[in-house]
Amino acid sequence: MKKIIIVSNRLPVELKIENDKITFKQSVGGLTTGLSSVHPKDHNLWVGWLGIPEQEIPGSSLKDDLMDEVIRKDYIPIFLTEEEIDSYYYGYSNDIIWPLFHYFPEYAKFNSYYWSGYKKVNEKFAREILNYTDENDTVWVHDYHLMLLPAMLKTQQSHLNIGFFLHIPFPTYEVFRMLPSRVEILKGLLGTNLIGFHTSEYQQYFIESVSRLLPCEIHGNEIIYEGHKTVVEVFPMGIDADEFENEAHLQKEQEIKPQSIKAEIKEYTKHSPQVRFIISIDRLDYSKGIVNRLEAFDYFLENNPHYKEQVKLLMLAVPSRTCVPQYQLLKKDIDELVGRINSKHATVRWTPILYLFRSLPFEDLISLYTCSDVALITPVRDGMNLVAKEYVMSRSDQDGVLILSEMAGASKELKEAFIINPMNYREISNALLQALEMPKEDQAKRIKIMQDTIRNNNVKKWATNFLTQLEGIPSNNLQQESALKNRKSIIEHYEKAEKRLILLDYDGTLVGFQDNPEMLAPDKELTKLIRTLAGNSKNDLYLISGRKKENLEAWFADLPIGLIAEHGSFIRQSNKDWKSEFYGKSHWKKKIQKLLESYTEKIPDSFIEEKTHVLAWHYRKVPGEIGVRGAREIVQMLRTRTMDLGIQVLNGNKVIEVTAASINKGNAVRNLMRQKDYDFILAIGDDTTDEFMFRQLPSQAISIKVGTAESAAKYRLKDFKQVRFFLYALSEKETIVKRIFDIGNENKKQII
Ligand code: GDG
């Protein structure tokens, strides 16, 4: 039975060792809840570290007990030594990746000790996981601590279905490129079949970094690297909406527990009923923008003195990485700032900030959410920020206002919040003023919409969506077999046939790819090959290309073959005149030309090629990402016009081509197939435009994709050299090919 293995740095358990006794309880949190429908269930496993150094687990019998207990719950613990924790966890993960990915490169301490620890621990995880995996199992890896793991697993067991989710932001290329081990990290991540990010920005930044740093093919959100496809998708993580809603309702009905936060708040409001609360909750981390928030609050009080004694900021800062000097320094700054603001604005009856540096039980957390009129959430960078969603879901009376940083992933979903720039204290202060003065009806409108959004994408849905998509992607996703490996059966089919149709694309299929397309005239060897194939009276051979008819005619008019130009707009039977296959008018060309020209002006070395029924924007000479980005923009702009103008956009190899919607190689091929009752059809092509042709072919046809991109074709060949070799095999008979194959294993390997 197939199983799912969840992998995260920490297991979702809290471990305590007291008096040589181990106790552990399940920790609560978004991830645990989200994955509760997956684990524990159906022998699914969860692999992770227990959170304490191996050296601190006393005695081997205790360790055995621990193992028994943990394994009974389908957890697989990874034991880490103090050195490993130092280099892998505190070092590479939290002193390099965390600051860099949150745009604090100045805090990143690049060093090789951290890097080797990170590799070592990722390998340790891989070894342990492979002890438990069977072919076709699903492995879902979480977060930045384990970015090398996917490729390590894939190399050992290519049939695993591997997914990865990044909980923190993925930075822009300009920041990511600073990472010394950037290429290794990307290669590690591309061992996955599916990578998930919280927002489409992180998704795009990742794709851009890959496109700049690795030789790969990118088609929309699919990356093909070394023959393996990774889908890059957006899955905004949700919360357990019901849990927050229910607890908030419960607290309304239940009696207040003595000594709870709620009891203290009630006591306070008895004496100061006018005071309204503003809540802020985060781990004490520099990415959370706590200092900015305090400064903005200070500015607010200074500029709105009538709000003194009327508002109170309840600031919960949960201790985090307290042994790291950076965090100790931040704590000191925050302590001082809170002291300064309190001393500046306080009155005998009132202090503006109530600052708690600790973590609270879940019930108290909800009490804070429910008692606060405003939530002030101002991270300078945050992958998602679940606190924002939790606040909204806890507002069971449908009031309250959320002020949320535009730098938090949650701002992409919670559009009814006040979205602010956390670096602009005036903007935060204004938002605070508006929030405090917002009529209840407006509050309710906004909160209701946000609650619906959160309910509709709760954490269980998030997990299910990710796993459903992952399981839908075949693990060996580009494993169409090589046509060379299957040449025997193909040749048998060929030799038995009496009426054969052979359809060959030209650029990228019979010749390589060059910056200057004029240079790609057929060489002698190719002309000879085509002549031999076409010379067989049983064969009807067509070159089917996007090129202009003049171009094809100049090169191939002397050969006994058919020519199809401009993706099927024109056809020329051997020794006959060109016939147009398309009788419409191309009125759309003027409009599109203008748009394309605006891009040739902006992007040097890009150029427009005009054909009779096609307009092409080429960017093969444009270096790096600029051309790719331009092409992406053009495609997006054209998409909106395709319906009105009756056109289609073909996204080819370093070219965007626009044609009338009815022109494509598929239609051209359909017409050809009607002419005779062919008993052997072969089609070879490398480009997305060839996919139209593949899709039109009957099931017994031999379709071959050249290159690694995803395709509807049955077989694959690596490049034009392999295509030529394969065609020789057809034309010259198996015995001759065998002779070539038997030249020696070395050469054979090179060819295959
Ligand atoms: C990472 C990313 C991304 C906080 N204090 C207490 C407490 N909490 C709970 C909150 C919330 C969670 O901790 C914090 O989640 P965040 O999303 O705000 O932030 P990170 O911990 O940094 O998480 C982040 C997240 O992963 C998920 O992908 O959103 O961007 O950095 O659930 O409620 N819970 C209790 N007591 C506290 O004192 N019980």
Side-chain angles (χ1 to χ4, degrees):
M1 194 168 114
K2 275 183 10 171
K3 64 182 173 301
I4 299 172
I5 302 172
I6 298 156
V7 190
S8 59
N9 169 54
R10 286 284 299 271
L11 279 172
V13 289
E14 281 165 28
L15 192 72
K16 258 198 190 152
I17 302 179
E18 270 170 356
N19 308 326
D20 271 5
K21 256 196 125 180
I22 295 184
T23 53
F24 76 94
K25 61 170 187 181
Q26 180 103 20
S27 61
V28 280
L31 197 59
T32 324
T33 317
L35 298 173
S36 61
S37 49
V38 182
H39 181 277
K41 208 183 142 195
D42 299 337
H43 304 292
N44 293 339
L45 302 173
W46 193 322
V47 181
W49 172 45
L50 282 163
I52 55 167
E54 192 173 4
Q55 290 97 321
E56 275 180 29
I57 301 170
S60 62
S61 74
L62 213 58
K63 196 168 165 179
D64 289 346
D65 291 351
L66 174 72
M67 281 297 273
D68 287 350
E69 184 74 20
V70 171
I71 287 174
R72 209 174 307 137
K73 291 196 153 55
D74 286 331
Y75 291 137
I76 308 295
I78 303 285
F79 292 100
L80 298 182
T81 64
E82 266 166 18
E83 296 72 46
E84 285 169 341
I85 296 166
D86 190 41
S87 57
Y88 145 82
Y89 179 68
Y90 286 111
Y92 195 83
S93 303
N94 288 329
D95 248 358
I96 296 182
I97 296 296
W98 179 271
L100 196 67
F101 282 32
H102 286 87
Y103 297 79
F104 285 88
E106 69 277 21
Y107 290 174
K109 297 193 188 74
F110 302 114
N111 73 52
S112 55
Y113 164 68
Y114 288 172
W115 171 235
S116 56
Y118 188 77
K119 277 193 293 189
K120 211 171 122 195
V121 172
N122 272 254
E123 275 159 12
K124 200 173 202 177
F125 269 80
R127 272 196 307 276
E128 193 62 25
I129 293 164
L130 289 167
N131 286 334
Y132 296 89
T133 50
D134 297 307
E135 252 192 26
N136 301 324
D137 278 351
T138 292
V139 184
W140 187 6
V141 183
H142 288 265
D143 230 357
Y144 61 102
H145 315 87
L146 298 167
M147 292 189 284
L148 298 177
L149 183 58
M152 288 172 177
L153 294 172
K154 195 85 191 172
T155 327
Q156 296 294 320
Q157 230 174 334
S158 64
H159 282 277
L160 286 176
N161 211 359
I162 305 172
F164 180 92
F165 189 82
L166 188 72
H167 289 261
I168 64 173
F170 193 90
T172 60
Y173 171 65
E174 286 307 324
V175 171
F176 181 72
R177 71 189 305 185
M178 288 185 222
L179 187 65
S181 40
R182 59 198 185 180
V183 168
E184 291 87 338
I185 291 293
L186 293 182
K187 284 185 180 173
L189 289 171
L190 291 179
T192 49
N193 298 348
L194 177 65
I195 302 189
F197 295 97
H198 284 304
T199 74
S200 56
E201 272 136 354
Y202 310 153
Q203 175 201 38
Q204 291 310 318
Y205 298 157
F206 175 74
I207 293 176
E208 182 177 353
S209 288
V210 173
S211 76
R212 283 175 176 251
L213 294 168
L214 290 177
C216 59
E217 279 179 48
I218 296 178
H219 305 274
N221 68 337
E222 296 178 1
I223 299 173
I224 290 132
Y225 176 64
E226 296 197 332
H228 173 71
K229 182 176 85 179
T230 299
V231 179
V232 188
E233 208 34 281
V234 181
F235 298 94
M237 186 174 169
I239 58 166
D240 185 351
D242 288 348
E243 195 190 15
F244 287 86
E245 230 171 350
N246 294 343
E247 177 63 28
H249 271 297
L250 202 70
Q251 288 200 8
K252 263 203 297 193
E253 286 154 17
Q254 256 179 358
E255 261 190 40
I256 300 177
K257 289 185 194 148
Q259 321 231 304
S260 64
I261 282 263
K262 194 164 184 190
E264 288 181 40
I265 292 171
K266 194 172 178 207
E267 191 56 32
Y268 177 84
T269 37
K270 239 195 240 166
H271 303 290
S272 311
Q274 81 291 358
V275 172
R276 295 163 73 190
F277 295 111
I278 301 161
I279 181 94
S280 89
I281 296 181
D282 2 52
R283 274 186 309 100
L284 196 139
D285 191 286
Y286 47 79
S287 66
K288 301 288 182 183
I290 301 173
V291 170
N292 307 31
R293 183 183 315 156
L294 288 170
E295 279 169 354
F297 187 56
D298 182 18
Y299 180 86
F300 170 79
L301 290 175
E302 228 169 78
N303 287 277
N304 300 284
H306 56 288
Y307 268 108
K308 287 187 181 178
E309 298 194 346
Q310 306 294 312
V311 290
K312 196 183 231 345
L313 176 62
L314 296 177
M315 193 174 87
L316 175 66
V318 180
S320 171
R321 303 168 199 165
T322 42
C323 49
V324 177
Q326 202 71 57
Y327 287 74
Q328 292 164 353
L329 215 65
L330 179 69
K331 164 84 171 44
K332 192 165 159 278
D333 286 350
I334 292 172
D335 288 356
E336 281 174 13
L337 195 54
V338 170
R340 193 167 58 71
I341 297 170
N342 271 345
S343 60
K344 185 168 151 192
H345 300 285
T347 62
V348 173
R349 289 180 298 252
W350 170 80
T351 47
I353 304 169
L354 174 71
Y355 168 35
L356 307 174
F357 178 62
R358 66 184 111 123
S359 72
L360 295 176
F362 178 68
E363 297 73 32
D364 285 348
L365 193 76
I366 304 296
S367 303
L368 289 185
Y369 288 145
T370 52
C371 81
S372 306
D373 290 4
V374 181
L376 185 56
I377 298 175
T378 60
V380 287
R381 290 287 161 183
D382 211 338
M384 170 53 72
N385 194 299
L386 300 177
V387 170
K389 295 186 171 181
E390 294 169 3
Y391 172 75
V392 171
M393 276 332 285
S394 307
R395 304 301 301 179
S396 50
D397 288 338
Q398 282 158 353
D399 59 359
V401 184
L402 173 65
I403 300 176
L404 180 59
S405 161
E406 65 183 56
M407 309 294 179
S411 68
K412 305 288 170 281
E413 286 174 277
L414 305 179
K415 301 232 178 352
E416 291 70 28
F418 273 110
I419 307 290
I420 48 92
N421 172 358
M423 311 310 267
N424 186 340
Y425 56 88
R426 280 205 189 100
E427 200 179 314
I428 301 177
S429 164
N430 283 341
L432 208 45
L433 189 62
Q434 287 185 56
L436 289 165
E437 292 179 357
M438 186 184 278
K440 286 272 179 197
E441 311 85 74
D442 291 356
Q443 295 182 20
K445 259 190 223 157
R446 290 172 179 243
I447 285 279
K448 267 188 206 158
I449 301 175
M450 291 193 280
Q451 286 184 341
D452 284 346
T453 309
I454 297 168
R455 250 182 239 117
N456 287 337
N457 186 28
N458 66 25
V459 70
K460 285 197 179 137
K461 255 200 190 151
W462 167 80
T464 314
N465 287 348
F466 187 96
L467 287 168
T468 312
Q469 181 154 352
L470 176 60
E471 282 169 5
I473 303 172
S475 49
N476 270 341
N477 49 31
L478 287 176
Q479 297 294 307
Q480 278 131 321
E481 289 211 339
S482 159
L484 279 179
K485 281 195 186 133
N486 288 276
R487 71 192 188 286
K488 232 182 172 161
S489 63
I490 299 173
I491 289 171
E492 262 172 38
H493 182 176
Y494 175 84
E495 290 193 333
K496 273 189 205 147
E498 294 298 321
K499 289 179 214 156
R500 308 174 189 134
L501 176 63
I502 300 174
L503 304 158
L504 305 175
D505 168 50
Y506 184 67
D507 294 77
T509 299
L510 293 173
V511 288
F513 202 68
Q514 278 223 2
D515 280 353
N516 185 355
E518 302 306 318
M519 306 283 285
L520 286 174
D523 50 88
K524 269 194 196 146
E525 185 200 72
L526 178 61
T527 314
K528 190 174 158 219
L529 174 61
I530 295 176
R531 201 183 281 284
T532 318
L533 264 176
N536 187 322
S537 61
K538 294 178 183 171
N539 293 353
D540 289 344
L541 192 152
Y542 287 84
L543 287 188
I544 178 161
S545 164
R547 282 188 180 254
K548 289 184 189 176
K549 55 184 188 322
E550 294 77 16
N551 203 178
L552 293 181
E553 191 172 345
W555 288 342
F556 300 108
D558 295 344
L559 296 179
I561 59 173
L563 299 174
I564 296 173
E566 293 196 23
H567 304 294
S569 308
F570 297 99
I571 181 162
R572 178 189 185 275
Q573 300 291 354
S574 166
N575 283 323
K576 300 253 168 72
D577 290 333
W578 285 99
K579 268 208 229 154
S580 178
E581 291 278 281
F582 174 74
Y583 300 101
K585 293 228 161 80
S586 300
H587 293 309
W588 50 268
K589 270 168 92 183
K590 259 195 192 150
K591 285 187 187 160
I592 303 300
Q593 177 109 18
K594 267 201 182 148
L595 175 97
L596 297 183
E597 272 168 7
S598 70
Y599 277 85
T600 40
E601 276 162 25
K602 270 196 293 199
I603 301 179
D605 293 330
S606 66
F607 61 94
I608 299 170
E609 186 189 5
E610 187 176 353
K611 308 176 198 177
T612 315
H613 298 302
V614 179
L615 266 187
W617 183 78
H618 292 273
Y619 59 100
R620 55 177 83 202
K621 293 180 185 168
V622 182
E625 179 65 8
I626 307 164
V628 180
R629 219 182 291 148
R632 229 180 267 151
E633 275 177 37
I634 292 178
V635 171
Q636 255 166 17
M637 289 193 164
L638 288 174
R639 237 174 231 155
T640 54
R641 305 184 188 196
T642 47
M643 294 286 269
D644 301 345
L645 295 174
I647 54 171
Q648 64 179 331
V649 183
L650 307 171
N651 198 348
N653 202 347
K654 303 256 171 164
V655 60
I656 303 292
E657 296 193 81
V658 187
T659 70
S662 57
I663 297 177
N664 67 53
K665 290 185 180 181
N667 289 342
V669 163
R670 215 176 33 219
N671 291 342
L672 283 183
M673 289 190 304
R674 284 197 200 115
Q675 292 175 3
K676 270 190 205 169
D677 197 9
Y678 289 110
D679 51 0
F680 176 91
I681 300 175
L682 167 70
I684 314 182
D686 73 310
D687 211 340
T688 41
T689 57
D690 298 311
E691 295 299 316
F692 289 100
M693 163 167 82
F694 296 147
R695 278 189 230 115
Q696 283 302 329
L697 300 178
S699 59
Q700 66 278 16
I702 311 291
S703 50
I704 303 175
K705 172 80 177 178
V706 183
T708 51
E710 204 182 16
S711 172
K714 236 183 232 171
Y715 300 103
R716 222 169 253 287
L717 286 172
K718 213 158 89 188
D719 52 21
F720 77 96
K721 290 184 202 147
Q722 281 202 347
V723 174
R724 290 187 185 195
F725 188 81
F726 174 80
L727 292 175
Y728 270 121
L730 278 189
S731 63
E732 304 274 338
K733 291 214 165 92
E734 177 72 347
T735 43
I736 301 172
V737 178
K738 236 192 200 146
R739 228 176 42 223
I740 304 170
F741 266 81
D742 289 342
I743 293 168
N745 271 341
E746 279 295 288
N747 292 350
K748 183 173 160 184
K749 250 188 225 155
Q750 270 174 15
I751 293 166
I752 300 182

